[in-house]
Amino acid sequence: MTPDETQPTNTVRGSMATDRPERYAKQLVSHWSKRGEAVEEDGALVQRWATGQVIVLRSVDDALEIEISVAEGDDAARFAQVVKEHLERFGQRDELDVVWHV
């Protein structure tokens, strides 16, 4: 799931252990609703920003799988850090931790 198959992208994948993955996925895309519409695609919640970033959130057993993509030339690590900070802040009481897979 990339923004546009003709544009090269940088993608980072990670996960966050939680017993409420749907809640955090919905909270994140709702928080950024003005950035782009969120839609269900292939069992995942996908938000495409007007500025080219894409966030894919998939709820699995006791975890939220996260995939972020940015256009070639954009800083995927920086965008991944922004997503991580937001999710961890939303789940502060649950001491959530996003782990990026390198």
Side-chain angles (χ1 to χ4, degrees):
M1 295 179 189
T2 59
D4 180 341
E5 296 298 327
T6 62
Q7 283 186 327
T9 60
N10 296 317
T11 301
V12 178
R13 291 175 182 82
S15 60
M16 180 178 76
T18 176
D19 59 350
R20 297 180 292 176
E22 297 90 2
R23 174 186 187 267
Y24 292 111
K26 288 178 183 176
Q27 187 173 3
L28 184 68
V29 297
S30 176
H31 177 73
W32 282 329
S33 63
K34 291 182 181 175
R35 304 274 184 169
E37 181 182 3
V39 296
E40 290 275 339
E41 291 182 12
D42 300 322
L45 191 56
V46 180
Q47 187 173 42
R48 289 181 175 79
W49 290 19
T51 52
Q53 297 91 330
V54 178
I55 305 169
V56 179
L57 303 164
R58 185 177 309 277
S59 299
V60 296
D61 291 335
D62 296 326
L64 178 63
E65 292 180 349
I66 308 150
E67 177 180 296
I68 62 100
S69 298
V70 299
E72 190 66 39
D74 286 347
D75 189 347
R78 181 172 174 265
F79 186 57
Q81 183 62 29
V82 170
V83 171
K84 174 183 174 70
E85 289 171 0
H86 277 76
L87 284 168
E88 289 176 356
R89 185 178 39 178
F90 295 153
Q92 189 172 4
R93 286 187 215 156
D94 295 332
E95 298 180 5
L96 299 180
D97 182 33
V98 173
V99 177
W100 297 110
H101 309 295
V102 188

